[in-house]
Amino acid sequence: MLDDLCVLRNAVRDYRLAATAVGLDWPDQGESPTGQPPDVVHRIFGVDRIAEQLTWLQSQRWPERRLLPNGGWLISWPEGPDALDDLGLSIGTPFPWRHQLPLFHFEYAIFTFVLAGEHEGEIWRYEISPDAWDSVRAATSLATLFDQWTRGIAAGVIVYEGEYNKWLQIEDLGSAQGLDPLAFPVAPVEETLLRARQRECGVDMAIVEEGFEHNEELLDAIDAVKASLGGA
């Protein structure tokens, strides 16, 4: 789902305010105008257009530091086809694997933005593990994701670790009511919840159950696309 741009702006603002209120160093640099994605992005991901919501987020002047829960960070616009390597675990998705842009990098997970089709604007997550076949929707939209993180800070689930890392970290997620655990970059995910959400959002469970074979096929497909793009 693509958010109304005003809703997205407010959700990101509220998250920054909540994060700084608990100690994160994230000065207000004001809102930057929405720019244009590099032409190479369309070629890498095989799409004709990029949603304004994604372009707006990428246009903001965030400090180059870990501003997201569990020390996550915003991935800049890709400069070449190697960005497709981050999609190597995205098997069984109900949209073409290539139609998603790696957007947030966490210690144990990649969150992507779906670029086209009926799932456009959704945020999907993939655990960084050679044996995890956990393609699943993390949030229906960017604003929904930031809202969950803001609520997590308010609930004390996300706290500021200021002694060593100086970033936000997730503590006892199970203690909070009304939060969606899959919106938080914690791994592994409780299996019953994971499988239920996968079915709900259209993941091909037969592919997930035979994950290794399909993962190998996807890696071959990524290599083929990268070769076709050359230097993009």
Side-chain angles (χ1 to χ4, degrees), residues 8-9 15-16 39 74 89 104 160 162 169 182 200 206 231:
L8 176 58
R9 288 189 181 106
Y15 171 73
R16 188 190 67 79
D39 289 341
L74 174 69
L89 295 171
F104 300 133
Y160 177 64
Q169 63 184 33
L182 288 168
E200 174 191 330

Side-chain angles (χ1 to χ4, degrees), residues 58-69:
Q58 288 284 8
S59 299
Q60 301 315 299
R61 296 176 297 167
W62 284 13
E64 293 186 5
R65 62 188 70 153
R66 298 185 177 212
L67 302 174
L68 307 178

Side-chain angles (χ1 to χ4, degrees), residues 39-88:
D39 289 341
V40 69
V41 174
H42 299 87
R43 298 198 295 276
I44 293 171
F45 299 100
V47 294
D48 295 328
R49 55 175 290 276
I50 302 294
E52 183 182 16
Q53 289 79 358
L54 175 58
T55 303
W56 175 84
L57 184 66
Q58 288 284 8
S59 299
Q60 301 315 299
R61 296 176 297 167
W62 284 13
E64 293 186 5
R65 62 188 70 153
R66 298 185 177 212
L67 302 174
L68 307 178
N70 274 8
W73 63 91
L74 174 69
I75 304 173
S76 301
W77 288 124
E79 298 180 356
D82 285 347
L84 295 174
D85 291 337
D86 285 335
L87 304 179

Side-chain angles (χ1 to χ4, degrees), residues 19 28 32 49 80 87 91 101 105 123 145 154 156 164 167 174-175 177-178 183 204 212-213 219-221 231:
D28 183 5
S32 300
R49 55 175 290 276
L87 304 179
I91 62 171
L101 180 139
H105 193 295
I123 306 300
L145 185 68
Y164 299 108
W167 65 49
S175 66
Q177 299 295 317
D204 188 329
F212 180 79
E213 175 185 349
L219 295 178
D220 289 343

Side-chain angles (χ1 to χ4, degrees), residues 45-227:
F45 299 100
V47 294
D48 295 328
R49 55 175 290 276
I50 302 294
E52 183 182 16
Q53 289 79 358
L54 175 58
T55 303
W56 175 84
L57 184 66
Q58 288 284 8
S59 299
Q60 301 315 299
R61 296 176 297 167
W62 284 13
E64 293 186 5
R65 62 188 70 153
R66 298 185 177 212
L67 302 174
L68 307 178
N70 274 8
W73 63 91
L74 174 69
I75 304 173
S76 301
W77 288 124
E79 298 180 356
D82 285 347
L84 295 174
D85 291 337
D86 285 335
L87 304 179
L89 295 171
S90 58
I91 62 171
T93 59
F95 50 83
W97 66 266
R98 192 176 168 188
H99 289 174
Q100 55 185 324
L101 180 139
L103 185 60
F104 300 133
H105 193 295
F106 304 93
E107 293 299 315
Y108 304 108
I110 295 286
F111 281 25
T112 70
F113 182 100
V114 181
L115 297 168
E118 64 180 22
H119 294 274
E120 184 179 15
E122 292 181 356
I123 306 300
W124 280 61
R125 56 174 285 162
Y126 309 103
E127 182 180 340
I128 302 174
S129 167
D131 301 314
W133 320 117
D134 67 344
S135 300
V136 69
R137 188 184 65 215
T140 55
S141 74
L142 268 173
T144 301
L145 185 68
F146 278 103
D147 179 66
Q148 283 287 309
W149 293 345
T150 301
R151 292 170 59 190
I153 294 172
V157 169
I158 299 175
V159 300
Y160 177 64
E161 198 294 295
E163 184 174 358
Y164 299 108
N165 295 325
K166 301 187 185 305
W167 65 49
L168 299 174
Q169 63 184 33
I170 300 168
E171 294 199 333
D172 186 11
L173 184 56
S175 66
Q177 299 295 317
L179 296 178
D180 181 356
L182 288 168
F184 296 81
V186 174
V189 177
E190 196 278 316
E191 186 171 9
T192 301
L193 171 65
L194 171 64
R195 300 307 180 204
R197 178 66 59 80
Q198 286 178 314
R199 294 185 179 93
E200 174 191 330
C201 61
V203 172
D204 188 329
M205 301 307 294
I207 288 179
V208 170
E209 290 169 4
E210 302 173 358
F212 180 79
E213 175 185 349
H214 292 282
N215 177 238
E216 291 293 304
E217 293 176 356
L218 176 56
L219 295 178
D220 289 343
I222 289 173
D223 286 342
V225 171
K226 288 172 62 179

